[in-house]
Amino acid sequence: MAGQQFQYDDSGNTFFYFLTSFVGLIVIPATYYLWPRDQNAEQTRLKNIRKVYGRCLWYRLRLLKPQPNVIPTIKKIILLAGWALFLFLAYKIKKQYRLLSLKYHPDKGGDEVMFMRIAKAYAALTDEESRKNWEEYGNPDGPQATSSGIALPAWIVDQKNSILVLLVYGLAFMVILPVVVGSWWYRSIRYSGDQILIRTTQIYTYFVYKTRNMDMKRLIMVLAGASEFDPQYNKDATSRPADNIQIPQLIREIGSINLKKNEPPLTCPYSLKARVLLLSHLARMKIPETLEEDQQFVLKKCPALLQEMVNVICQLIIMARSREEREFRAPTLGSLENCMKLSQMSVQGLQQFKSPLLQLPHIEEDNLRRVSNHKKFKIKTIQDLVSLKESDRRNLLHFLEDEKYEEVMAVLGSFPFVTMDIKSQVLDDEDSNNITVGSLVTVLVKLTKQTMAEVFEKEQSICAAEEQPAEDGQGDANKNKSKGWQQKSKGPKKTAKSKKKKPLKKKTASVPLPQTKQQKQKQANGIVGSEAAIKENEDDISDKGSDSEEEETNKDSQSEKDDGSDRDSDREQDEKQNKDDEAEWQELQQSIQRKERALLETKSKITHPVYSLYFPEEKQEWWWLYIADRKEQTLISMPYHVCTLKDMEEVELKFPAPGKPGNYQYTVYLRSDSYMGLDQIKPLKLEVHEAKPVPENHPQWDTAIEGDVDQEDSEGFEDSFEEEEEEEDDDD
């Protein structure tokens, strides 16, 4: 057996192989993940949505201040340099044999041993037998002593350069690496998983717990106290000397800010500035140009901060339910819903009680009265405007020019319309539709997203189909039909006086008379004779006999039909039960598949852009979904933030069933975090039953039979053992 020998390659000829592999392992995946995407695709997307979103602030800022291309350019330069190095090393490896053979050829005074090694390496690449020996034994000549080399250049292992190598290693692993890891760790411990400062979460938790029921004014004050707006904790936040002059001017214009109460950090200068900028945005006030950039910075932070406040409120509600202490009071449902409303207000730039129609372009406060206070149409919401006919809508917006009207219709058609399908059940139970006390209720909500354009296009087609029979003389019956959002007006009910009773018609059928009277009647008509009367009596008797036979046969056939109907009903019940079992099994499989997909898939949070006239950043359509008891003003299930709704999404809301049996009326809410007036509400009825008693004697738990069998076996074994002992005694 060949021995093992270790050799160190002082020349470092294999260093290129090591370096090529190392560079390839870095460059190939880095190119896949870090290569900048095509910028032309983004420009094409912006061009396609210009008709709808052209007036939005974020769209205009994107065109005026395009995203800097310095970082993508730097990425491209670094990646291209890496590929150039990789190709250069690969080229060097291919040319290595020729260079080494010329260098170490014996005729040119080279090393003969080195030349033989180079020749063997070339043979391993070209000769089939040598390649096979190399793959099996590690040497082109067959089994040889194993040699190992270090793929490093010779100057690294040279004793003269040992101090320099130690200095480089010490600088890399003892200075640079600790500094990088320490700076990353210091920054990461200051932020939560949602990139919110931990100090901000602590501030929100304190003030939400302190103020159990927060109105909108108090909520804005707490929101502005976030440390993201403090230059001490966030370098992006700025504070200028001119703020001492401009902020007091805005405070006087707003006129509803209390400055007397001292409640840090809510009354600190940075918090007061953020609050004033937010209030001016909600009032759609003009501010100095020097404050516009600061206002945009505050507005960009608002959606994430409000989501963090929603999380804080939910955590406090859970803590209050888990504790039995009366002193720990949970925040109210109104505080939670005010956070969601404030998110809509901040995105649309509207105050709390303003009309949702102000979200549309070219509709301002001065012409809003023409729409909302119209004599014929009372338009208060977006849905009311969509439900109108095209002619009525154009007459209502007659103050707009044709071009502006088309723009309003394009924007109105882009607004979302979401429908909800709700189904409540108890998973992992034999009877999933039976909700018992203390069980875990799962409400499956199927969300289907459409645009307003798709909805009223369908309604227009339906109306056109309904108006088609009007040409055939049925137009009067279809004039009173309305669209889906409109409530059908019921006509006046007919009173009892208006209904005239029709006179009853006299029946011509004669009532059967006794036989003597029939005979007298027939005699009076000149029909009855002696022979005729006898024949008629015989016919009557025969008719009665035939009638009795028919009745018996009918009874027999009826009994057979009853038996057949019973069998058919049993068969139908069995088929129905089988169908129900199959449907339940399919639902269970679908639920498992949904959970598996949710664990494996990572859906993109890019859904659909939001139309917002005054928001400085492109916002995606997101929603909150939760269940509440409006009568008791309590939250039943925690809000689920739906961030991936493009066309259809299925969400599971889970909560424990009530502790007492009875009928419960809940409400499922779907609230937008960007649009005002587009929330969806749907009732949820639950019928809670008593929990089934735990069976004391279940067949799976019955071990009496096994015990009896074991006892019989043991007795039989003892009897056989005694018989064997007696036989042995007799033999003795």
Side-chain angles (χ1 to χ4, degrees):
M1 180 178 179
Q4 188 174 6
Q5 182 180 359
F6 293 95
Q7 296 179 359
Y8 295 93
D9 188 7
D10 295 334
S11 61
N13 293 324
T14 57
F15 177 68
F16 289 108
Y17 296 94
F18 167 75
L19 191 59
T20 304
S21 302
F22 181 76
V23 173
L25 290 175
I26 295 177
V27 170
I28 295 174
T31 304
Y32 179 78
Y33 288 105
L34 300 179
W35 185 263
R37 299 296 181 263
D38 188 9
Q39 297 295 326
N40 295 328
E42 178 65 16
Q43 296 297 327
T44 304
R45 185 185 74 89
L46 293 175
K47 185 177 180 180
N48 294 333
I49 64 176
R50 183 177 181 178
K51 182 179 179 181
V52 178
Y53 302 96
R55 290 189 177 272
C56 295
L57 177 61
W58 63 265
Y59 189 91
R60 290 185 280 115
L61 291 176
R62 186 75 62 84
L63 295 180
L64 295 176
K65 299 178 181 179
Q67 294 182 350
N69 296 325
V70 178
I71 295 178
T73 304
I74 294 175
K75 288 182 179 180
K76 288 182 179 180
I77 292 174
I78 295 175
L79 292 174
L80 291 175
W83 276 103
L85 179 61
F86 179 76
L87 295 176
F88 173 74
L89 294 174
Y91 174 78
K92 291 287 290 184
I93 291 174
K94 290 180 181 180
K95 296 295 182 179
Q96 193 70 13
Y97 169 73
R98 183 179 179 183
L99 295 175
L100 293 176
S101 62
L102 294 175
K103 181 179 179 180
Y104 295 101
H105 199 279
D107 296 340
K108 296 183 179 182
D111 188 359
E112 184 177 357
V113 176
M114 180 61 67
F115 180 78
M116 292 299 296
R117 293 176 61 186
I118 294 171
K120 291 180 180 179
Y122 180 75
L125 296 174
T126 56
D127 186 56
E128 200 62 40
E129 184 177 358
S130 300
R131 177 187 291 273
K132 185 176 180 181
N133 291 333
W134 171 260
E135 293 176 354
E136 292 182 359
Y137 305 108
N139 194 293
D141 295 335
Q144 300 289 330
T146 302
S147 61
S148 300
I150 301 176
L152 293 174
W155 60 268
I156 291 180
V157 296
D158 193 354
Q159 188 176 2
K160 297 179 181 179
N161 301 326
S162 59
I163 298 177
L164 179 61
V165 172
L166 289 176
L167 288 176
V168 172
Y169 271 91
L171 181 64
F173 293 100
M174 298 181 67
V175 178
I176 297 177
L177 184 62
V179 168
V180 172
V181 174
S183 60
W184 169 81
W185 176 253
Y186 176 73
R187 185 183 180 279
S188 62
I189 61 175
R190 296 173 61 239
Y191 290 87
S192 63
D194 298 327
Q195 297 302 310
I196 302 296
L197 286 170
I198 300 296
R199 191 172 185 273
T200 300
T201 305
Q202 295 172 352
I203 292 172
Y204 287 171
T205 304
Y206 173 76
F207 285 103
V208 169
Y209 177 74
K210 183 180 179 181
T211 310
R212 181 170 174 265
N213 188 12
M214 287 195 299
D215 58 0
M216 193 61 67
K217 187 176 180 180
R218 177 68 175 178
L219 183 61
I220 293 175
M221 189 175 181
V222 175
L223 174 66
S227 298
E228 274 77 2
F229 306 137
D230 190 354
Q232 182 180 355
Y233 296 93
N234 190 0
K235 296 180 180 179
D236 296 332
T238 57
S239 177
R240 300 182 179 87
D243 296 343
N244 298 327
I245 301 174
Q246 296 172 346
I247 296 299
Q249 292 177 355
L250 290 176
I251 291 175
R252 286 191 293 269
E253 293 179 8
I254 296 172
S256 60
I257 299 178
N258 186 11
L259 301 177
K260 296 180 181 180
K261 192 174 182 180
N262 186 15
E263 196 175 12
L266 305 185
T267 54
C268 292
Y270 81 88
S271 179
L272 182 62
K273 178 182 177 181
R275 194 194 331 169
V276 169
L277 293 177
L278 180 57
L279 290 174
S280 62
H281 167 71
L282 298 180
R284 294 187 175 182
M285 295 171 51
K286 291 184 179 180
I287 61 174
E289 295 182 358
T290 55
L291 293 177
E292 288 182 355
E293 186 176 353
D294 297 341
Q295 187 185 52
Q296 294 174 7
F297 171 76
V298 171
L299 294 176
K300 290 178 182 179
K301 294 289 184 180
C302 282
L305 293 175
L306 287 169
Q307 175 60 33
E308 183 66 19
M309 194 175 294
V310 169
N311 296 336
V312 168
I313 293 175
C314 294
Q315 291 173 4
L316 291 177
I317 292 175
I318 295 173
M319 290 176 62
R321 290 179 180 178
S322 61
R323 295 186 180 183
E324 298 180 356
E325 300 175 3
R326 296 183 179 179
E327 297 179 357
F328 193 91
R329 299 181 303 170
T332 61
L333 181 62
S335 300
L336 179 66
E337 293 181 341
N338 283 337
C339 290
M340 300 177 181
K341 292 178 183 178
L342 184 56
S343 178
Q344 302 172 359
M345 294 161 53
S346 63
V347 173
Q348 295 298 332
L350 288 175
Q351 294 176 344
Q352 184 177 5
F353 300 106
K354 291 294 183 178
S355 174
L357 298 174
L358 294 174
Q359 300 173 111
L360 298 173
H362 308 299
I363 296 182
E364 305 294 340
E365 291 284 353
D366 53 352
N367 54 27
L368 178 63
R369 297 178 181 178
R370 301 181 184 180
V371 179
S372 58
N373 297 331
H374 196 271
K375 295 181 179 179
K376 186 178 179 181
F377 308 106
K378 300 296 182 182
I379 306 300
K380 301 295 182 182
T381 62
I382 298 292
Q383 291 87 343
D384 295 338
L385 185 60
V386 172
S387 62
L388 294 177
K389 294 182 180 179
E390 178 64 25
S391 58
D392 296 336
R393 192 185 302 115
R394 188 66 187 97
N395 293 332
L396 182 66
L397 303 176
H398 63 88
F399 53 88
L400 295 178
E401 300 176 358
D402 292 340
E403 184 178 356
K404 293 182 179 180
Y405 176 77
E406 291 179 359
E407 184 180 353
V408 171
M409 289 298 100
V411 173
L412 187 63
S414 67
F415 277 30
F417 180 77
V418 183
T419 56
M420 292 191 296
D421 294 330
I422 301 173
K423 182 179 181 181
S424 58
Q425 57 186 349
V426 179
L427 299 178
D428 301 331
D429 197 359
E430 296 179 356
D431 190 2
S432 60
N433 296 323
N434 185 22
I435 300 175
T436 58
V437 174
S439 61
L440 183 62
V441 182
T442 301
V443 178
L444 179 62
V445 183
K446 183 179 180 181
L447 303 176
T448 305
K449 190 263 179 186
Q450 293 177 309
T451 60
M452 292 289 185
E454 296 174 353
V455 174
F456 63 69
E457 280 177 3
K458 291 180 181 178
E459 292 188 350
Q460 288 177 357
S461 62
I462 292 173
C463 292
E466 290 177 351
E467 292 175 357
Q468 187 68 26
E471 299 176 357
D472 301 331
Q474 299 180 359
D476 297 335
N478 295 324
K479 286 181 180 179
N480 296 326
K481 294 186 178 180
S482 60
K483 296 184 179 181
W485 276 300
Q486 293 176 332
Q487 295 181 353
K488 296 183 179 180
S489 59
K490 298 181 180 179
K493 296 182 179 179
K494 295 182 179 180
T495 59
K497 295 181 180 179
S498 63
K499 296 181 180 179
K500 296 181 179 180
K501 296 183 179 179
K502 296 181 179 180
L504 298 175
K505 295 182 179 180
K506 294 183 179 179
K507 297 182 180 180
T508 56
S510 61
V511 181
L513 300 176
Q515 185 177 359
T516 56
K517 294 182 179 179
Q518 289 179 356
Q519 290 177 358
K520 291 179 181 179
Q521 186 177 1
K522 291 177 182 179
Q523 288 177 359
N525 293 330
I527 302 174
V528 180
S530 60
E531 296 179 356
I534 295 171
K535 290 181 180 180
E536 189 173 353
N537 292 334
E538 291 177 355
D539 293 337
D540 293 338
I541 294 171
S542 62
D543 291 337
K544 290 181 181 179
S546 62
D547 292 339
S548 62
E549 291 177 358
E550 289 178 359
E551 289 178 358
E552 291 179 357
T553 54
N554 290 333
K555 289 181 180 179
D556 295 337
S557 61
Q558 185 67 26
S559 61
E560 292 177 357
K561 289 181 180 179
D562 293 338
D563 295 338
S565 63
D566 293 338
R567 289 193 295 270
D568 294 339
S569 62
D570 294 339
R571 191 182 302 109
E572 290 177 357
Q573 290 179 358
D574 294 338
E575 292 177 355
K576 185 177 180 181
Q577 183 66 28
N578 293 332
K579 290 181 180 179
D580 293 340
D581 294 340
E582 291 178 359
E584 186 176 355
W585 173 254
Q586 290 178 359
E587 290 179 359
L588 181 60
Q589 293 296 323
Q590 291 176 0
S591 176
I592 295 173
Q593 291 176 1
R594 284 196 300 270
K595 293 180 180 178
E596 291 178 352
R597 286 196 300 267
L599 292 174
L600 297 176
E601 294 181 0
T602 303
K603 295 184 179 180
S604 174
K605 292 186 177 182
I606 299 176
T607 55
H608 303 278
V610 175
Y611 185 86
S612 54
L613 289 170
Y614 299 97
F615 198 72
E617 189 177 38
E618 183 178 0
K619 177 78 173 59
Q620 301 297 320
E621 292 179 1
W622 293 348
W623 307 82
W624 281 295
L625 182 66
Y626 63 97
I627 303 174
D629 188 349
R630 180 57 59 184
K631 184 178 180 181
E632 300 294 335
Q633 286 294 308
T634 56
L635 186 66
I636 303 301
S637 71
M638 295 299 126
Y640 183 86
H641 204 194
V642 183
C643 303
T644 57
L645 178 58
K646 291 185 178 180
D647 299 320
M648 193 272 291
E649 185 81 12
E650 291 184 351
V651 180
E652 290 184 355
L653 301 178
K654 297 184 179 182
F655 60 93
K660 295 180 180 180
N663 295 325
Y664 294 86
Q665 183 74 30
Y666 296 148
T667 308
V668 181
Y669 291 91
L670 179 68
R671 296 192 183 276
S672 173
D673 70 341
S674 305
Y675 290 105
M676 297 181 64
L678 298 184
D679 300 339
Q680 299 290 330
I681 300 175
K682 202 162 187 179
L684 175 64
K685 296 180 180 180
L686 292 183
E687 185 177 356
V688 182
H689 304 279
E690 284 283 357
K692 295 180 180 180
V694 179
E696 297 180 355
N697 296 322
H698 196 275
Q700 295 180 354
W701 305 338
D702 191 4
T703 58
I705 300 175
E706 297 179 359
D708 295 340
V709 173
D710 295 339
Q711 187 176 359
E712 291 176 358
D713 294 340
S714 62
E715 291 178 355
F717 178 74
E718 291 176 355
D719 294 339
S720 62
F721 184 72
E722 291 177 355
E723 291 177 358
E724 290 179 358
E725 287 183 348
E726 291 177 357
E727 291 177 358
E728 290 178 358
D729 294 338
D730 294 338
D731 294 336
D732 294 339

